[in-house]
Amino acid sequence: MFNYHMVLIPAVVALAATLISGPMLIPVLKRLKFGQTIRDEGPKTHLVKNGTPTMGGIILVIGIIVASLLSGKVDGNMLVALFSIIGFGLVGFVDDYIKVVLKRSLGLRAYQKLIGQFVFAFLIVLYQYKTSDYGSSILVPFTDGYYFDMGMLYIPFTVLVVVATVNSVNLTDGLDGLASGVTLIVSVFFVITASMLGYESIAIVCSAVFGACLGFLRFNIYPAKVFMGDTGSMALGGAVAAAAVIMNASLMIPIVGGIYFAESLSVIIQVTSFKLTGKRVFKMSPIHHHFELVGWHETKVVGVFWATSLVLGAVALIAFI
C-alpha cells in the first residue's frame, strides 16, 4: 500500500537540508576556488560558465543521508543504498578533486574510475544476490510481474548494469539542471514502485533523492550557481542503480532512465562511427550538446528532456504494473 506520509517527510527533510546547506557550502567552494573549467571543444555558449563552483554534489549527498537516517526506518537495504550513493559519490569526488584542486584536467584515469565503480557495484549486487528472496531473478517489464532467473549470469550482468547506469547519469550532467531534473523524475518512479513492492526503506531513500534534487535545482537551474560535478552525478547514479538492483528491477532502468540510456548510446554511436568511418553522426555528443549545436537554447533542451522523462516514467509504470 502506497504510504504518502512515509515518503513525504523524507522528501521535505532532504529539501530543507539541501536548501540550508547550499547557501553555506557554495560560498566555501568559491573561496576555495573549486571552479569548473569548461573545455574549449565544447559548445562556445558554455565558456561563460568557466569558474562556476563545482563539487556541489556534496549538497545532494548531505540531503539524502540526513533525510534517510532521520526517517527511523534504517535497515540493511537502506544502508546498502546509502553505501552505493556514498561509494560512487566518493569515486566522483576524487575525480573532481584531481581535476579542480590538483589542476589535472583529465582527473582519474578511465581504468582507475572503472576499478572503483566495479568494486562498489560488485558489493551491492552480491548483497542483493545473498539476501533477496528472488536471488538471481529479475523482473521482466510488460510481463505482469514475471521474474526471469538468470542463474550464474545474474552477478556479472547486474554489475555491468550498475556501472553503466552510474556512467550514464554522469554523461547526462552536461547542462544546467539536466541530470538533477531527470533524476528527480526517475526517483518518483522508484518511490512508487518501492512502496508497491513493500521496500519501505528504498522508497524513503528515493524520496530523499527527490527532495534533494528539488532543493539542488534551486542552485543548479539555468543559469547555474553551482554544478554537482562527478561527485553528484555518480552519487545520483549510485542511488538509481541501488534502488533498481535491490528491487530486482534493473531492466526497468533503460525505460524510466531512457534519457540516461540515450546519452550513453549517443556517445557510443559517435565514437564507433568516427573510428570506423572517420565521420560523426552527431554534431557533438552526448546528445544534449547536439541539440544545442542545431540551435536549441540550453533551457529548451533541458525542458524537452524533462518532459521526455515524464513520459518515460509513465511508460515504466505501465511496464511495471
Side-chain angles (χ1 to χ4, degrees):
M1 181 64 65
F2 192 86
N3 187 333
Y4 291 95
H5 183 264
M6 176 189 72
V7 298
L8 180 60
I9 293 177
V12 172
V13 172
L15 173 62
T18 305
L19 291 176
I20 291 170
S21 62
M24 293 190 293
L25 184 60
I26 293 172
V28 174
L29 295 174
K30 287 181 178 179
R31 285 197 298 272
L32 294 174
K33 297 182 179 180
F34 287 3
Q36 180 75 36
T37 300
I38 305 300
R39 297 177 303 163
D40 291 334
E41 61 268 27
K44 301 305 179 186
T45 54
H46 287 210
L47 294 177
V48 298
K49 302 181 181 185
N50 256 318
T52 301
T54 189
M55 300 174 75
I58 297 170
I59 300 169
L60 283 164
V61 174
I62 289 173
I64 295 168
I65 293 175
V66 168
S68 299
L69 295 181
L70 288 180
S71 69
K73 300 289 184 179
V74 179
D75 62 7
N77 286 342
M78 177 182 285
L79 292 177
V80 168
L82 294 179
F83 170 80
S84 179
I85 293 167
I86 296 169
F88 286 109
L90 182 61
V91 174
F93 177 83
V94 173
D95 191 42
D96 284 336
Y97 186 86
I98 292 173
K99 287 186 288 190
V100 176
V101 180
L102 301 184
K103 307 300 181 184
R104 283 166 43 189
S105 59
L106 295 179
L108 286 171
R109 298 184 185 277
Y111 79 88
Q112 293 172 323
K113 231 185 278 191
L114 286 172
I115 288 173
Q117 291 172 346
F118 271 102
V119 168
F120 286 119
F122 176 75
L123 293 173
I124 294 159
V125 173
L126 183 63
Y127 164 84
Q128 175 61 8
Y129 178 73
K130 293 291 188 180
T131 62
S132 172
D133 292 336
Y134 292 97
S136 56
S137 298
I138 55 174
L139 177 66
V140 180
F142 299 107
T143 59
D144 194 26
Y146 171 72
Y147 285 80
F148 174 70
D149 191 345
M150 297 190 68
M152 293 178 61
L153 294 177
Y154 173 79
I155 290 181
F157 171 79
T158 312
V159 166
L160 287 174
V161 169
V162 172
V163 173
T165 300
V166 170
N167 285 302
S168 295
V169 177
N170 183 232
L171 288 172
T172 304
D173 181 36
L175 301 179
D176 296 357
L178 180 55
S180 46
V182 169
T183 305
L184 179 152
I185 295 166
V186 171
S187 66
V188 172
F189 166 80
F190 282 112
V191 168
I192 296 172
T193 53
S195 298
M196 292 174 65
L197 291 175
Y199 291 93
E200 187 178 64
S201 60
I202 296 303
I204 289 170
V205 173
C206 292
S207 175
V209 171
F210 169 84
C213 286
L214 184 61
F216 189 71
L217 279 172
R218 167 70 179 79
F219 316 108
N220 187 234
I221 200 73
Y222 181 88
K225 298 180 179 65
V226 67
F227 299 140
M228 68 174 67
D230 287 1
T231 305
S233 60
M234 290 193 186
L236 292 181
V240 172
V245 169
I246 289 172
M247 294 192 294
N248 291 80
S250 55
L251 291 182
M252 299 301 299
I253 295 177
I255 303 175
V256 67
I259 292 295
Y260 306 146
F261 183 76
E263 297 277 19
S264 283
L265 188 61
S266 70
V267 173
I268 294 170
I269 291 172
Q270 186 85 326
V271 172
T272 303
S273 175
F274 188 74
K275 286 187 175 181
L276 293 179
T277 69
K279 297 180 180 179
R280 294 178 172 85
V281 176
F282 306 104
K283 290 182 178 295
M284 186 178 290
S285 65
I287 198 169
H288 55 257
H289 289 321
H290 170 82
F291 287 108
E292 282 189 288
L293 294 180
V294 300
W296 288 21
H297 190 273
E298 180 172 346
T299 54
K300 180 178 179 180
V301 180
V302 172
V304 170
F305 279 34
W306 284 4
T308 303
S309 286
L310 282 171
V311 173
L312 291 171
V315 172
L317 280 176
I318 294 171
F320 174 80
I321 296 170

